[in-house]
């Protein structure tokens, strides 16, 4: 499948990986929007949030728990962080391999 995040998960293209386990890879966003901008992805291809089904429940819960674990590990849990799923065109979603943004490192604006 021609999916850029599958290629990152399979090490076919490089990425700045900060954490990896059996199920998830966490890497730095190539165009960071905050001092800390990480992406949490399942290794197995899962489509966008809009296409999730019951069988994805465990993977999605695992992504959120992984984000919490990483926030603690990199030392932003106390200062705070934001987790974002972009869904569809108006959210600017570019990649259709499910991914969770972890943003931190400064007071984050919330404006549109
Ligand atoms: P989306 O807008 O789909 O929620 O977010 C996709 C994110 O992936 C964007 O923030 C974009 O900068 C990032 N991204 C796209 N291609 C690559 C890549 O090849 N490597 C890395 N590290 N990040 C990427
Ligand atoms: Zn994929």
């Amino acid at each position: 499948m021609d999916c850029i995040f599958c290629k990152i998960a399979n090490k076919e293209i490089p990425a700045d990986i900060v954490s990896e386990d059996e199920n998830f890879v966490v890497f730095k966003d190539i165009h960071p929007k905050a001092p800390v901008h990480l992406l949490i992805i399942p290794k197995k291809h899962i489509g966008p949030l809009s296409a999730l089904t019951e069988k994805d429940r465990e993977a999605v819960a695992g992504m959120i728990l992984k984000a919490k674990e990483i926030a603690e590990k990199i030392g932003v849990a106390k200062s705070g962080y934001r987790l974002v799923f972009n869904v569809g065109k108006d959210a600017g979603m570019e990649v259709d391999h499910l991914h969770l943004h972890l943003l931190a490192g400064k007071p984050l604006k919330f404006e549109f």
Side-chain angles (χ1 to χ4, degrees), residues 52-99:
L52 287 180
T53 66
E54 189 57 38
K55 70 177 177 353
D56 303 312
R57 180 182 292 274
E58 202 178 330
V60 175
M63 289 171 77
I64 295 169
L65 288 169
K66 176 58 67 177
K68 171 187 176 280
E69 174 195 317
I70 296 299
E72 288 164 0
K73 188 173 143 193
I74 65 174
V76 300
K78 231 176 166 183
S79 49
Y81 57 95
R82 181 171 295 149
L83 302 180
V84 174
F85 283 106
N86 288 324
V87 186
K89 186 165 64 70
D90 280 357
M93 192 188 79
E94 295 168 8
V95 179
D96 78 354
H97 182 129
L98 188 66
H99 53 280

Side-chain angles (χ1 to χ4, degrees), residues 4 7-8 19 27 36 43 45 67 76 82 84 91:
I4 193 149
K7 287 181 179 163
I8 287 174
S19 175
F27 57 97
V36 175
K43 284 188 170 173
H45 185 91
V76 300
R82 181 171 295 149
V84 174

Side-chain angles (χ1 to χ4, degrees), residues 1 3 5-6 45 97:
M1 196 190 301
C3 168
F5 286 180
C6 279
H45 185 91
H97 182 129

